[in-house]
Amino acid sequence: MTDSILDFEKQNTPYYTPAHREYRLHVRKFREQYVDPYIDKWIHLGDHPRGIQGVRDYVKQMVDFGGIYLFPWSYDTWTDSKGVKQKWDPFYLIIYSQEMGVHAFGFGVEIVSMSLGPLIRFASNDVHRKALDEIKAGKKFIALAVSELSGGSDVAQIKSTATKTDDGKFYIVNGNKYWITGGERADYFVTLVRTSQTGRFGVSLLLIPRCNGVFTSKLKLQGNEGNATAAVTFANVKVPVENLIYKENMGFVPLMTNFNRERFIICSNLVSDSRLCVTEAIRWAKERKTFGKTLIKHQVI
């Protein structure tokens, strides 16, 4: 983005290695091949022209390209041009956010990283591992279903319930979740539910597949339409106890292990968006003329 008088990419930094610089070009190549030619249509529609299947195909392209789908969020490796598997560090995420954020539009694939964390850290059975394999391969989508009208980050206010059946083999889940990024497309929901009466230590985390009793409705937003943000309703959903992540009434623990990572991803995206705003403002100031000269040549804009 060389139109800006602030050349973010070429600033001197002691943190970027040759591998980081190569990764920037790697991400840029993906974007130029699979995003740039189609972005105007995506923005106009607020979605992929082929809906959910189109987004699935797009994610498959990310997986096949290598180092694009999970690596930016530390859940995979990236092999550079010398055949060396690079270990993740936060600067790869920053680079990814800058390169993929130049259009300020996407399909919200970052939510995969925010949803996978608890599952990766606390997977304990074949149900968990099967879901992980499907999601990592890009075959299934996952969303984090925490926020409700009564509370979001304040997990003590969660009201959705999960009640065990008499035989102890299932949870019956009821409740409503709101503002769930990727909820309209999700095949799985990492869902915070209340399994005890009160307090943060009365909530549990369940892996709920899209099944009978799960209903989603896309929410209209003021931007980020491609994220498929939805309201999610669970109506007497029967969930096997094997789908419990970590321990009953201790869902706060796996959830909190993920929140710092989520915030860093969000901050990285916001800084990228801010840089885009600065770049576009300077580009326009070089183009727009008032009183016989471009805006950039005035003392004050």
Side-chain angles (χ1 to χ4, degrees):
M1 298 183 10
T2 56
D3 287 334
S4 176
I5 59 174
L6 299 175
D7 194 336
F8 296 115
E9 179 184 339
K10 294 181 180 179
Q11 291 184 70
N12 290 327
T13 169
Y15 301 108
Y16 284 179
T17 66
H20 288 119
R21 296 185 182 93
E22 182 182 334
Y23 183 68
R24 181 183 295 280
L25 297 178
H26 180 73
V27 179
R28 186 175 298 171
K29 182 179 179 181
F30 174 84
R31 192 197 73 227
E32 290 175 346
Q33 184 173 345
Y34 294 108
V35 179
D36 292 358
Y38 315 106
I39 191 65
D40 289 341
K41 182 176 287 188
W42 295 350
I43 291 174
H44 177 72
L45 293 175
D47 199 353
H48 197 286
R50 293 188 291 110
I52 292 176
Q53 187 55 51
V55 178
R56 290 190 189 278
D57 292 343
Y58 171 72
V59 169
K60 184 63 164 57
Q61 291 170 336
M62 298 179 81
V63 173
D64 292 344
F65 200 82
I68 302 294
Y69 185 49
L70 295 177
F71 176 69
W73 310 298
S74 82
Y75 296 133
D76 199 359
T77 58
W78 167 63
T79 303
D80 66 18
S81 60
K82 297 179 181 178
V84 178
K85 284 190 175 182
Q86 295 294 332
K87 184 179 179 181
W88 179 88
D89 64 48
F91 297 101
Y92 286 108
L93 169 60
I94 293 171
I95 290 168
Y96 174 88
S97 298
Q98 291 172 354
E99 290 298 323
M100 294 296 285
V102 298
H103 300 297
F105 181 89
F107 295 119
V109 294
E110 292 87 351
I111 196 60
V112 173
S113 68
M114 299 180 188
S115 309
L116 270 184
L119 203 53
I120 286 177
R121 295 184 191 92
F122 297 96
S124 59
N125 58 45
D126 289 342
V127 172
H128 297 158
R129 287 185 281 271
K130 178 177 181 290
L132 275 174
D133 289 343
E134 291 175 329
I135 295 159
K136 285 183 175 181
K139 295 178 180 178
K140 295 291 180 70
F141 291 157
I142 190 170
L144 186 65
V146 175
S147 296
E148 301 180 2
L149 291 177
S150 59
S153 297
D154 183 5
V155 298
Q157 302 303 316
I158 295 300
K159 299 187 183 303
S160 294
T161 61
T163 306
K164 266 186 179 174
T165 54
D166 292 340
D167 59 12
K169 294 182 179 181
F170 298 92
Y171 292 100
I172 305 300
V173 179
N174 286 281
N176 299 285
K177 300 290 184 178
Y178 288 88
W179 312 292
I180 307 306
T181 304
E184 181 69 1
R185 303 188 189 110
D187 301 291
Y188 292 102
F189 300 86
V190 174
T191 308
L192 193 68
V193 292
R194 181 157 296 287
T195 45
S196 187
Q197 291 301 312
T198 59
R200 61 177 179 169
F201 292 113
V203 294
S204 301
L205 208 56
L206 294 178
L207 177 66
I208 302 179
R210 186 180 287 271
C211 58
N212 290 338
V214 177
F215 305 96
T216 59
S217 177
K218 187 175 180 179
L219 299 175
K220 189 167 181 59
L221 307 177
Q222 291 181 318
N224 293 324
E225 288 294 323
N227 287 355
T229 301
V232 183
T233 296
F234 300 102
N236 293 318
V237 180
K238 194 174 184 180
V239 181
V241 294
E242 289 80 10
N243 290 45
L244 177 69
I245 301 173
Y246 194 53
K247 301 175 183 177
E248 186 170 291
N249 296 326
M250 296 292 286
F252 183 79
V253 174
L255 193 65
M256 289 301 109
T257 65
N258 215 47
F259 270 12
N260 280 348
R261 179 186 301 270
E262 289 180 31
R263 272 47 181 179
F264 181 69
I265 292 171
I266 292 169
C267 288
S268 182
N269 288 340
L270 289 176
V271 170
S272 175
D273 289 344
S274 298
R275 288 185 170 192
L276 178 61
C277 289
V278 172
T279 298
E280 290 297 319
I282 292 172
R283 182 179 293 154
W284 176 244
K286 289 180 176 180
E287 179 182 334
R288 171 66 171 162
K289 288 185 177 181
T290 60
F291 305 103
K293 56 184 176 181
T294 57
L295 288 175
I296 201 75
K297 292 182 179 179
H298 289 280
Q299 281 187 311
V300 178
I301 299 177

